[in-house]
Amino acid sequence: MKTLRLMTVGGAIAYRALFNWTTPGMFVGTLLVGPLFQLLFFAYLGRQLQVADDRFYIVGNAVLTASLACVFGGTMAVANERRFGTLGHVLLSPRSRTAIFWGRVLPYAGNGLLIAVVTLAVGALLLGLRIPPGALPGLLLAMTAGSLACGFFGLTLGALGLRFRDVWVVSNVSVALLLLLTGVNVPASGLPGWMVTVGHFLPITHAAEAARRLAAGDGLAAAAPALGQELLVGAGYAVAAVVLLKIFEIESRRRASLDAL
């Protein structure tokens, strides 16, 4: 129970302290309105080029929109501690740092899930996509898996902030790669083989596949393999984040560069 409390309450407090947005208007404009315009752009582009259908773009981009808050939030969970000069206090805590940092991913994953749900609902309403009511619980599960995987992916990038000064460049490039390599806007059949291979190791790829199957009415059984793969990718990044945090913490202590900017 103590570990669970550390992850939930500690994660919520860290979210309030480290996730930077100044007004509700900025939050809505950046994380809700911006992704919706991205969805509409690709949906109408697909119509013009006669590539895929509206369901492909609506569902794929709805899952992808979680990446913005989750990747940057996961990065902030570590990098902003260093930026604000409080990282040393966190690392001196006698509590499990694995639980501390994993717990910080949860609010960002919830944030990403909210964005994905809003984007899917509004996009479907504007473009006239009908989703079978029975598919909604499975879609929520797919978007949750994608959000968690993106959060741990962001935490892995944040771990690099213990070694590199400007981790935000890495985060921006990573978000662009998710847009390009996960197959949310370009069918996998139209991508080079190496891009498809890389995409299998990135979050969102399998969650988008599962969500599309569910939206098409294929049922949870058909989407289960892709959901399992997405959860496996997320677990892999969760472990990678902990390992990198430990390695770079030791290296930073040795070089006396823990709070250096």
Side-chain angles (χ1 to χ4, degrees):
M1 290 300 296
K2 289 183 178 181
T3 300
L4 182 61
R5 185 176 183 275
L6 176 65
M7 293 179 66
T8 54
V9 177
I13 293 174
Y15 174 83
R16 294 178 60 189
L18 301 176
F19 194 50
N20 303 139
W21 51 278
T22 54
T23 64
M26 179 176 289
F27 178 90
V28 172
T30 302
L31 297 180
L32 295 179
V33 177
L36 182 60
F37 278 110
Q38 175 181 295
L39 182 154
L40 294 173
F41 169 78
F42 283 107
Y44 281 107
L45 181 63
R47 286 182 180 182
Q48 182 69 27
L49 298 177
Q50 298 182 348
V51 177
D53 56 11
D54 286 351
R55 179 186 290 110
F56 179 88
Y57 295 104
I58 293 172
V59 176
N61 279 279
V63 178
L64 177 67
T65 54
S67 66
L68 188 63
C70 293
V71 172
F72 283 105
T75 303
M76 287 179 182
V78 180
N80 274 2
E81 290 281 12
R82 187 182 188 189
R83 176 187 174 191
F84 298 151
T86 54
L87 181 61
H89 300 286
V90 175
L91 298 181
L92 287 173
S93 170
R95 303 303 300 272
S96 168
R97 288 193 282 278
T98 298
I100 290 174
F101 286 111
W102 278 1
R104 292 185 176 191
V105 169
L106 300 180
Y108 299 113
N111 209 1
L113 179 61
L114 170 66
I115 297 168
V117 169
V118 171
T119 304
L120 178 62
V122 177
L125 181 64
L126 292 177
L127 298 178
L129 174 65
R130 293 187 177 183
I131 298 175
L136 296 179
L139 281 171
L140 187 63
L141 181 60
M143 290 186 289
T144 300
S147 298
L148 283 171
C150 272
F152 286 120
F153 179 66
L155 187 65
T156 302
L157 299 179
L160 299 177
L162 297 183
R163 186 65 183 85
F164 303 105
R165 292 186 177 182
D166 193 356
V167 72
W168 303 111
V169 173
V170 179
S171 297
N172 279 286
V173 172
S174 298
V175 170
L177 289 177
L178 291 179
L179 178 66
L180 178 64
L181 301 178
T182 55
V184 293
N185 288 309
V186 180
S189 59
L191 292 173
W194 69 269
M195 286 188 175
V196 175
T197 301
V198 173
H200 286 313
F201 295 94
L202 294 175
I204 298 299
T205 301
H206 305 292
E209 179 186 348
R212 286 178 178 135
R213 288 183 177 273
L214 291 161
D218 292 344
L220 186 59
L227 280 174
Q229 289 175 311
E230 185 71 17
L231 292 173
L232 186 61
V233 169
Y237 282 114
V239 173
V242 171
V243 172
L244 288 176
L245 282 168
K246 186 61 178 178
I247 292 174
F248 291 143
E249 176 190 347
I250 294 173
E251 184 69 9
S252 297
R253 290 180 188 274
R254 187 176 69 84
R255 293 173 174 266
S257 60
L258 192 61
D259 288 328
L261 293 176

